Amino acid sequence: GAPSRGQAHVLPTGRNFYGCDPRSVPSPLAFEVGQRLAEDLLARHRAEEGRYPRHVGLVVWGTAAMRTGGDDLAEALWLLGVRPTWDEASGRVTGVVAVPVAELGRPRVDVTLRISGFFRDAFPHALGLLEEAVAQVAALEEPEALNPLRGRAGEPRVFGPKPGGYGSGVLALIEAGTWKDQADLGAIWLSWSGWSYRPGAMGVAAPDALRRRLAEVEVAVKNQDNREHDIFDSDDYLQDHGGMVAAVASLRGGQVKAWFGDSSDPARPRVRSLAEEAARVVRSRVLNPKWIQAMVGHGYKGAFEMAATVDYLFGYDATSGVVEDWMYERVTAAYVADPEVRAFLGRVNPWALRAIAERLLEADRRGLWQASDEARGALRRAVLEAEGLEEGR
């Protein structure tokens, strides 16, 4: 749980052993936030495309559900056009009710969820809630133009890693370097995500169903609920969201929008394109002199964090194509070409210096950016310098 999201009850008192009751997800507050995220997504898509999307893919994590009370699940429910009902005494969710299309003022939107292994383990009740919502909506006598789910209740809509498994396999493939293009990364994500999860049928191998669903997805979304971390300081973002983008792009010939919901301020949730979020994080954190100096203060581990940031930036670009040349150029200038930072890396962790330079050179070699001669030269010199320092140790 997160006190910054209104969950003061998670603070340790000696009495509360649990941060979240899974049967209370989504909470009323989370449903309000999820509604706003959904409406912002729909408004943006309509402004760009002149119509509402018919099918949205959403990445759902268990840790985020515990912090927020279920923003992501709430967004999925509101896209479908349903709202939960709660027991007043316990706060637990008792079911869902379909909202009439006339009240919604828009068509319903089909959803496909890619859940994390932890969400599967911690929130089985939520899977039943979504199944109930889909069944209600699919049974409504509404025009197909307003209800793309009509008559399609039998299709699974929640997918994830195999039972007992976690992750999406994308990072391991990137680290091994045994991939050629975005389609390869999408393929490994598909192979790790092809199990459907439904009440009474948990963890059924359904790779063909997942492919059919993703071939219809127009928007791939991941939400972020706090400002304590970002898309370039954890591999989970590029693995789950980036992997979904790569998979959908390969199935739809590159025709997919990658969006990022920001509910760090639950009073003002907003949706950005993934490219906009990447640029925001690069400017505000990755290139921020204050952050770089903070990493200098952490010595060996700080150097590692800088190398990890470059890895995750590279990985998100490989899966989603959201990192522009100027970002690579400025990261090269700040992490490698800057004599003070390069000296710090070489002194405390030459392996990190080498990893940063080699990863940026790999991005250039793979055509993810067109490095300037100056940047390419600085990176090559850094590799040689790091190799010499490593040998000296």
Side-chain angles (χ1 to χ4, degrees):
S4 63
R5 294 300 308 271
Q7 297 191 37
H9 63 278
V10 305
L11 294 173
T13 65
R15 293 172 58 88
N16 51 336
F17 288 95
Y18 302 96
C20 174
D21 179 353
R23 288 169 290 184
S24 68
V25 171
S27 68
L29 176 59
F31 185 65
E32 291 181 15
V33 176
Q35 279 183 298
R36 293 173 183 171
L37 285 169
E39 292 296 342
D40 202 6
L41 183 157
L42 296 175
R44 175 151 190 168
H45 193 278
R46 191 179 185 190
E48 293 186 4
E49 300 294 327
R51 59 176 179 80
Y52 290 106
R54 288 176 58 82
H55 196 149
V56 169
L58 184 64
V59 174
V60 180
W61 287 352
T63 49
M66 294 191 75
R67 284 192 299 269
T68 68
D71 286 2
D72 298 329
L73 180 62
E75 180 176 7
L77 292 174
W78 191 243
L79 288 171
L80 292 169
V82 303
R83 59 166 49 99
T85 56
W86 294 272
D87 177 73
E88 291 186 6
S90 66
R92 291 175 174 174
V93 180
T94 58
V96 293
V97 176
V99 178
V101 166
E103 183 180 335
L104 280 177
R106 60 166 174 84
R108 303 182 192 277
V109 180
D110 204 350
V111 295
T112 294
L113 272 57
R114 202 290 186 181
I115 60 172
S116 66
F118 176 59
F119 187 93
R120 169 201 63 210
D121 300 341
F123 296 97
H125 169 79
L127 304 181
L129 199 65
L130 187 70
E131 188 83 0
E132 181 184 347
V134 168
Q136 283 193 29
V137 171
L140 294 173
E141 294 293 330
E142 296 172 338
E144 197 275 339
L146 296 176
N147 185 352
L149 288 82
R150 184 175 177 180
R152 300 178 66 181
E155 297 181 358
R157 282 170 171 77
V158 180
F159 299 85
K162 67 180 180 179
Y166 301 86
S168 69
V170 172
L171 185 66
L173 188 61
I174 289 176
E175 289 183 336
T178 54
W179 59 282
K180 291 188 289 187
D181 52 26
Q182 182 189 48
D184 285 348
L185 300 172
I188 194 69
W189 185 92
L190 284 167
S191 70
W192 279 56
S193 306
W195 281 263
S196 66
Y197 288 89
R198 313 173 74 173
M202 297 288 279
V204 176
D208 292 338
L210 176 59
R211 288 177 176 273
R212 286 195 303 271
R213 298 289 301 171
L214 292 181
E216 298 179 1
V217 166
E218 299 171 73
V219 181
V221 184
K222 172 74 182 77
N223 295 321
Q224 169 80 352
D225 59 88
N226 64 78
R227 279 286 153 254
E228 295 168 12
H229 47 88
D230 59 56
I231 62 174
F232 295 144
D233 69 6
S234 169
D235 61 83
D236 294 319
Y237 292 95
L238 74 92
Q239 290 208 73
D240 290 352
H241 189 209
M244 175 184 277
V245 173
V248 175
S250 66
L251 292 169
R252 293 177 55 89
Q255 298 177 355
V256 59
K257 290 182 177 293
W259 287 350
F260 199 84
D262 179 357
S263 63
S264 57
D265 180 354
R268 295 188 304 163
R270 62 190 66 187
V271 174
R272 304 182 184 95
S273 71
L274 182 55
E276 291 169 345
E277 179 68 9
R280 189 193 70 79
V281 173
V282 167
R283 289 191 178 100
S284 63
R285 198 264 295 177
V286 176
L287 297 174
N288 190 331
K290 292 183 178 179
W291 183 80
I292 294 173
Q293 286 305 309
M295 293 304 100
V296 170
H298 285 284
Y300 179 93
K301 186 60 166 60
F304 166 83
E305 292 296 336
M306 294 173 70
T309 291
V310 174
D311 279 345
Y312 305 149
L313 183 142
F314 169 87
Y316 236 136
D317 196 27
T319 56
S320 311
V322 295
V323 181
E324 299 180 28
D325 282 8
W326 70 263
M327 301 182 195
Y328 283 114
E329 288 282 344
R330 291 188 60 184
V331 168
T332 299
Y335 287 24
V336 179
D338 184 285
E340 293 185 4
V341 176
R342 188 176 68 252
F344 155 72
L345 293 171
R347 183 176 67 257
V348 304
N349 193 337
W351 300 273
L353 174 61
R354 181 176 179 178
I356 291 170
E358 288 184 341
R359 186 65 81 191
L360 293 169
L361 285 171
E362 181 184 357
D364 178 40
R365 185 174 67 254
R366 290 183 177 274
L368 298 181
W369 68 307
Q370 299 298 317
S372 65
D373 291 340
E374 181 181 3
R376 194 176 292 121
L379 293 170
R380 288 171 177 168
R381 289 191 296 274
V383 170
L384 294 174
E385 179 181 332
E387 288 177 347
L389 290 168
E390 290 169 15
E391 292 175 1
R393 296 196 177 196

